[in-house]
Every structure is written in C-alpha cells, then in structure tokens.
Amino acid sequence: MAGSGSGPGTERNPSLRPGWSYGPPPAGTPLQAVIEPTVGGVYGHAWATVRERFWGLFVVGLVATIIGSLIGGAITGIGALIAATTEVEVVTVVAQLLSQVLGTWPIWAGVQYANLQTVRSGRAEIDDIFVAYRRGLASLIAAQFLTTLLVVVGLALLVVPGIIVGLRLSFVTLLVVDEGLGPVEAIGESWRRSAGFGWTLLGIGLMAFPVVVVGLLALVVGLIPAAMVIALATPTMFASVTELQWRQPHHE
C-alpha cells in the first residue's frame, strides 16, 4: 500500500529491498560500513558521520530550519490576520495546528530522510528536505496523527505502555517517506522491525541528554554537532536494523 500522496513515477517498487528509496535508489548499495544496532554502535557511527559530513549536514539542517520557519510563519500569520478580521479566535488555533501539520512535520521528515541518505551513501541533497511533499504528505500526516494517538493512549495506561509504543514506532516516519508505506502499514512494520531492539531504542533516547551536556561544555558551540548527532541517531538505527534483517537467512 503506497502513500496516498505519491505521484507518477514515485510508486513503491516492489523489486527494491526493504530500506531502499522507492524513488531514485540511494547512491550506496548496501551500507558502506557495518553499523552495530547498539547504543554505542549507533552513536559512534553518527559521530563519525558528523565529523566527515559536517558542512553537508549543516547546510541541510539550516535550509530546513529556514524553510520550516517560513512555512509555519506564513500559515500562522494568515491565521492571525483572519482571526483579527473575523474576530473568530479559533482560527488562530487551527492555523497553529496547520503550521505543524503542513510545515514542521513534513520538513522534519525530510531532514530524517536526508540524514538516512547520508548514513547510507555519505551524501544528501537539499531536495531531500521536500521528500514528504513529493511522495506522500497525506500518508505522513495520517501516520503522525495515528502514532501520536497510540502514544497518548499508552501514556494514559500508566505511562510505561506509552513509552514502549513511542519507541517501537520511531521508524514510522522513515517507513513512509523512504519505503512508501501507508500510515497503518508503516505503524505495523515499525513495530515488527523494531522487535528485539526496545532497550536499544530506549538507550538511544536517553543518550541524547549526555550528548547535549557535552555540547554545552564545549563552549556552547558544541551544541550544533551535538544536535546533528542526535538527529542522526534514529536514521542510523533504522538503516542498521533494516540491513541486519535483510541479511537474515529468509532473505538470502
């Protein structure tokens, strides 16, 4: 089931192995280096990637931040103008929600996709930022809403189930923009693909705090590479787990 927003020529190609773009395939065939699906393996590879590809990642992140701010600002500005003209305050709330749905979510998905491409092939393009708009914006939005709903329900059930659900569904966005899965299919596949890696995903999330602290200690300037390393963590884990599962005997 492909994303509902896919256009001509971007349908998911069933002949591609899992983890390959269903648009133009990534430049790197299998991963260029073995990435251990452990906290140390993921952060070690993420740090090495930042050292080698700092300026490429920096430019992609900067452009994404600017574009996301422009889209969000435009939507909220129009909403504020309409609210002031009509005196209907709910318009402001709707505009803020739309700025997230049409701006923040797809742009962040594009950053994750660009980071995934960097992990795979060592390079990313500015055009990668817009992958969600090209391939399946409706699927991404639906997947985000469903994921958020599931996490909220889980949190209401004594918190821990919500944490587990959030960790196990951390691959959903990448499955939508990279493999072209629909929202329900992406949620199911994320749950399947993350099986056995729950503790690792938790460790990756917890490790973000000391990474930020180290960045602060590095005269604050270190926050930029720290943020890059953290942003690379989930795409790196996704690439590692996908490659590992593909190499299992039933795929050979």
Side-chain angles (χ1 to χ4, degrees):
M1 174 169 134
S4 60
S6 299
T10 62
E11 292 82 29
R12 190 181 178 207
N13 184 344
S15 67
L16 294 177
R17 50 182 280 189
W20 279 41
S21 305
Y22 65 104
T29 336
L31 292 177
Q32 295 181 339
V34 175
I35 306 172
E36 293 295 329
T38 62
V39 176
V42 166
Y43 273 98
H45 191 276
W47 171 240
T49 302
V50 168
R51 284 189 303 167
E52 294 173 7
R53 307 292 175 181
F54 177 83
W55 289 111
L57 291 167
F58 178 80
V59 170
V60 168
L62 179 62
V63 172
T65 300
I66 293 172
I67 292 174
S69 298
L70 290 174
I71 293 174
I75 294 174
T76 54
I78 293 171
L81 181 61
I82 294 174
T85 304
T86 62
E87 298 184 352
V88 179
E89 291 300 323
V90 71
V91 174
T92 302
V93 177
V94 172
Q96 291 173 345
L97 176 61
L98 287 175
S99 72
Q100 291 288 316
V101 171
L102 300 178
T104 304
W105 287 359
I107 292 297
W108 173 241
V111 171
Q112 284 193 299
Y113 178 75
N115 286 340
L116 177 62
Q117 295 296 69
T118 304
V119 170
R120 285 184 182 147
S121 63
R123 61 175 300 188
E125 305 290 343
I126 296 295
D127 189 54
D128 291 336
I129 297 170
F130 307 103
V131 65
Y133 295 107
R134 296 196 311 270
R135 292 185 174 178
L137 183 58
S139 288
L140 176 67
I141 292 170
Q144 291 281 17
F145 272 118
L146 285 174
T147 301
T148 302
L149 177 62
L150 291 171
V151 171
V152 169
V153 170
L155 290 173
L157 299 174
L158 303 177
V159 179
V160 174
I163 296 174
I164 295 172
V165 170
L167 293 171
R168 295 289 300 275
L169 300 186
S170 57
F171 295 156
V172 167
T173 296
L174 287 170
L175 287 165
V176 172
V177 297
D178 182 55
E179 296 185 21
L181 303 189
V184 175
E185 190 180 4
I187 288 171
E189 177 60 21
S190 181
W191 191 268
R192 185 197 69 78
R193 201 171 298 187
S194 62
F197 297 101
W199 287 109
T200 303
L201 290 166
L202 177 62
I204 289 171
L206 294 176
M207 184 59 69
F209 178 72
V211 170
V212 170
V213 171
V214 171
L216 283 170
L217 293 175
L219 302 177
V220 183
V221 178
L223 281 176
I224 295 176
M228 291 179 180
V229 169
I230 293 169
L232 277 165
T234 296
T236 301
M237 183 64 178
F238 175 81
S240 175
V241 170
T242 299
E243 183 75 8
L244 178 66
Q245 294 190 2
W246 179 258
R247 292 180 182 277
Q248 288 177 352
H250 64 276
H251 286 303
E252 293 177 353

